[in-house]
Amino acid sequence: MVQLGIIGGGMMAEAIFSRLLAEKIYLPSQIQVSEPRADRRQELVERYGVQVTADNREVTSGSEILLLAIKPQIFDAIARELGDISVPLVVSILAGIPLSKLETGFPSSAAIRVMPNAPATVGAGMSAIAAGSQATPGQVEQAKTLLAAVGEVVEVPEKMMDAVTGLSGSGPAFVALAIEALSDGGVAAGLPRTIATPLAIQTVLGTAQLLQETGLHTGQLKDRATSPGGTTITGLRELEQAGVRSAFMEAVVAACRRSQELGS
Ligand SMILES: NC(=O)C1=CN([C@@H]2O[C@H](COP(=O)(O)OP(=O)(O)OC[C@H]3O[C@@H](n4cnc5c(N)ncnc54)[C@H](OP(=O)(O)O)[C@@H]3O)[C@@H](O)[C@H]2O)C=CC1
Ligand SMILES: O=C(O)[C@@H]1CCC=N1
């Protein structure tokens, strides 16, 4: 019997359900994905053996949880198409779409809004969840179990979800850009790309791990790496002059604002 129905078989859907399968939380026969593109459906069957269909309604019949993994721009159309279904729990990962819209769009279901992120693909995700008014503690636990398969989970009040989207939802792209820029800097300074990119990736990974494992404040780490008149303070001065700190802050705030727009 299908227990997890997924609307939209894209990147995030695959990231989540592939980990659920790898961790044996579901069997392939218990997951059904609806996806309009035939070649993508075929790909998902060949890779994972899950059930697939082009018919969204087929997914909803019998599912215990319906995971919405389509783009937010088509949420209204999907709610019109499926709003009369009675799946116990709708879990949405759509940027911006508020619980009020989920609950109006799916009036017979409890709703949980989630913001995962791209590192979910390798089980290193960060997800925030906010439960709707009809969600039972058991359903919140169910959602947490789903997301725990792809990384860390934190429960937040819904009013924080757009800010979460701007930070951890969009953040992987901001960090990837920083890594690319560090690698470019290495190349500009004379390194071959094949050396520069692994150096940049491991520097970001190692710094994050150091901060996480020691609880060291970011400022303390910066101070530890800067010797008087040394190389690091010379580079930091350039970053401050270029407004990099402010640029990251504005990126998160702009992404948060865009999430609010998508939901209005
Ligand atoms: N990408 C990210 O890092 C993150 C994304 N999200 C959220 O996850 C959601 C999905 O994003 P992502 O996986 O990146 O996007 P994708 O485009 O990879 O996935 C969306 C999928 O929905 C399919 N689709 C389109 N129309 C329909 C329809 N009418 N019925 C069923 N399926 C349909 C698309 O099919 P087709 O193959 O034809 O395009 C595609 O496979 C978004 O709402 C986004 O806000 C949340 C956190 C992080
Ligand atoms: O850009 C987007 O809309 C999605 C939501 C969070 C990350 N990516």
Side-chain angles (χ1 to χ4, degrees), residues 95 115 165 169-170:
M115 181 43 56
T165 304
S170 298

Side-chain angles (χ1 to χ4, degrees), residues 7-247:
I7 307 293
M11 196 275 287
M12 282 309 291
E14 181 179 2
I16 293 171
F17 81 70
S18 64
R19 303 289 309 177
L20 292 170
L21 293 172
E23 300 211 0
K24 304 203 179 339
I25 293 169
Y26 289 105
L27 297 169
S29 58
Q30 295 173 317
I31 295 180
Q32 189 175 32
V33 185
S34 73
E35 160 61 36
R37 227 164 13 97
D39 59 334
R40 178 63 175 161
R41 288 198 299 276
Q42 185 62 24
E43 194 174 74
L44 295 178
V45 172
E46 282 167 10
R47 262 190 220 161
Y48 305 104
V50 291
Q51 319 299 302
V52 293
T53 174
D55 178 0
N56 288 336
R57 290 194 79 81
E58 204 185 308
V59 166
T60 61
S61 60
S63 296
E64 202 184 337
I65 300 177
L66 186 68
L67 178 68
L68 300 182
I70 32 83
K71 293 289 189 193
Q73 288 86 347
I74 65 165
F75 171 76
D76 288 341
I78 294 290
R80 274 195 302 275
E81 184 185 350
L82 303 177
D84 60 338
I85 58 146
S86 57
V87 165
L89 177 62
V90 170
V91 174
S92 163
I93 62 167
L94 278 56
I97 303 300
L99 283 165
S100 58
K101 277 200 173 187
L102 294 170
E103 288 175 339
T104 309
F106 294 87
S108 307
S109 308
I112 293 184
R113 178 178 172 188
V114 177
M115 181 43 56
N117 68 6
T121 312
V122 291
M126 182 69 244
S127 302
I129 78 168
S133 56
Q134 303 304 311
T136 64
Q139 288 174 322
V140 174
E141 282 314 306
Q142 266 183 318
K144 284 184 179 168
T145 303
L146 284 191
L147 277 312
V150 296
E152 300 297 317
V153 187
V154 62
E155 195 173 349
V156 299
E158 197 200 6
K159 62 177 190 237
M160 294 185 186
M161 283 302 264
D162 294 310
V164 164
T165 304
L167 176 49
S168 55
S170 298
F174 305 157
V175 174
L177 183 138
I179 290 174
E180 194 177 284
L182 287 171
S183 172
D184 284 348
V187 173
L191 296 176
R193 181 69 70 183
T194 49
I195 305 274
T197 297
L199 253 57
I201 290 172
Q202 182 57 31
T203 300
V204 171
L205 201 60
T207 306
Q209 194 179 343
L210 174 61
L211 290 169
Q212 191 175 54
E213 287 183 13
T214 61
L216 203 65
H217 186 277
T218 44
Q220 282 176 304
L221 171 53
K222 173 179 68 72
D223 289 356
R224 278 191 188 186
T226 45
S227 42
T231 61
T232 310
I233 196 67
T234 306
L236 280 170
R237 188 174 170 192
E238 290 292 331
L239 289 174
E240 296 290 8
Q241 259 169 14
V244 166
R245 189 186 291 262
S246 162

